[in-house]
Amino acid sequence: MSATITDTRPPKKAPGTLALGLSRIGYETRLYFRSPDTLFFTFFFPFIMLAIFTAAFSASGNIGGNADGVGGVSVGAYYLPGMLAAGMLLSGVQNLAVDIAGEKSDGTLKRLGGTPLSPLSYFLGKIGQVFVTAILQATLLLLVARFVLDIALPTEPEKWATFAWVFVFGVITSAFLGIALSAVPRSGKSATAVVIPVVLVLQFISGVYLQFTALPDWMQNLASIFPLKWMAQGMRSVFLPDSFAAAEQTGSWDLVWVAAALGVWLVVGLLLSRMTFRWIRRDA
């Protein structure tokens, strides 16, 4: 007579929302680095632009010096803050907007919607990937600036504290806005055509490629509505001498306004991303 063996072990619990989200960070990061076009247009693009501006304009001398060319900062040092801010925007807005739109178009999100993965876990994976890649990008950009372009970096702890909160605020805000913007393209094929022009225009009017105070007043006011202008301004306060604050729109770094603007856009991005995100398009 055979005895029946009963398994008394408790059933394994399914991974929670946080655990699923954290597990996706590595997966999303690996996918990011396996995509050549994403690497070129988001990860390495600030390096390329910094090299181009440094090579093209270095012969004209330092920026912000006197009539004899004494003082000021090198061309590379002047454009470094803007490239760091642009990297944050590209890592969050452009990367996620194009990536998520593609996943909607090819059915990836529809398949994920049938799994235990919640939208919150999905968000955590995407935002975590943006943080990882943005940190790597900023670190490499600073290393290139210091050891290749011989740009002096700040030594004051308070400067690096400002860098930290502007960077964290900017990356999170950009990530949420990227998730929200992914709802606009009608398909994955049209995503780059929709997203890249928006990101490119913002870079030109926000003091990344052009000196902000050289722009018309109406363009400066328009740029002030969007977060990239404030990210670039916050980064300039870290890497440029305090004398350059006089060239800002209000004659100061306005770090309180930088924090306030990024905080507002963070909330707006969070609300929009939650309102617009769906596993499949509503009109699909």
Side-chain angles (χ1 to χ4, degrees):
M1 184 175 182
S2 61
T4 302
I5 299 175
T6 303
D7 189 353
T8 59
R9 291 176 297 178
K12 292 183 179 180
K13 292 183 178 179
T17 299
L18 180 60
L20 283 173
L22 293 176
S23 68
R24 283 195 65 85
I25 294 176
Y27 171 78
E28 296 285 354
T29 302
R30 289 192 297 272
L31 285 183
Y32 177 89
F33 282 107
R34 289 172 182 171
S35 175
D37 54 342
T38 299
L39 283 177
F40 180 82
F41 287 108
T42 62
F43 193 85
F44 290 116
F45 196 72
F47 295 84
I48 296 169
M49 297 306 296
L50 181 62
I52 290 174
F53 280 112
T54 302
F57 301 119
S58 289
S60 60
N62 286 357
I63 297 176
N66 57 27
D68 298 326
V70 178
V73 298
S74 67
V75 172
Y78 182 79
Y79 282 103
L80 176 62
M83 296 307 147
L84 286 165
M88 294 151 58
L89 186 80
L90 293 172
S91 296
V93 174
Q94 182 170 308
N95 172 34
L96 291 191
V98 173
D99 186 37
I100 296 174
E103 290 182 344
K104 287 180 181 177
S105 182
D106 65 15
T108 298
L109 288 192
K110 184 178 181 180
R111 292 191 295 272
L112 289 176
T115 70
L117 187 72
S118 67
L120 180 56
S121 297
Y122 179 78
F123 281 15
L124 287 174
K126 290 293 187 183
I127 295 171
Q129 174 258 303
V130 170
F131 252 111
V132 170
T133 55
I135 290 172
L136 288 174
Q137 182 190 63
T139 301
L140 289 175
L141 194 57
L142 292 174
L143 289 174
V144 168
R146 180 67 188 91
F147 296 106
V148 178
L149 302 179
D150 197 27
I151 297 172
L153 300 180
T155 56
E156 304 91 332
E158 59 271 19
K159 292 281 189 179
W160 289 108
T162 300
F163 171 84
W165 68 257
V166 172
F167 181 83
V168 171
F169 248 180
V171 170
I172 296 176
T173 300
S174 297
F176 280 130
L177 291 175
I179 295 171
L181 187 58
S182 69
V184 176
R186 304 292 295 180
S187 68
K189 291 182 179 180
S190 66
T192 54
V194 173
V195 175
I196 290 181
V198 173
V199 174
L200 192 60
V201 169
L202 285 178
Q203 291 175 80
F204 272 102
I205 69 173
S206 299
V208 172
Y209 301 139
L210 304 174
Q211 188 173 352
F212 189 69
T213 50
L215 299 174
D217 288 342
W218 69 266
M219 196 174 292
Q220 294 183 37
N221 294 331
L222 176 64
S224 297
I225 299 174
F226 301 99
L228 181 57
K229 181 264 185 186
W230 300 102
M231 289 190 283
Q233 185 169 314
M235 287 298 172
R236 287 195 293 270
S237 76
V238 174
F239 294 97
L240 296 183
D242 290 336
S243 59
F244 278 74
E248 294 296 330
Q249 194 173 18
T250 61
S252 66
W253 294 127
D254 284 332
L255 291 179
V256 173
W257 280 104
V258 171
L262 292 181
V264 169
W265 272 106
L266 190 153
V267 173
V268 170
L270 173 61
L271 294 176
L272 287 177
S273 62
R274 191 64 190 94
M275 291 168 55
T276 59
F277 178 79
R278 292 174 182 83
W279 293 121
I280 58 174
R281 291 187 62 92
R282 179 173 287 178
D283 57 355

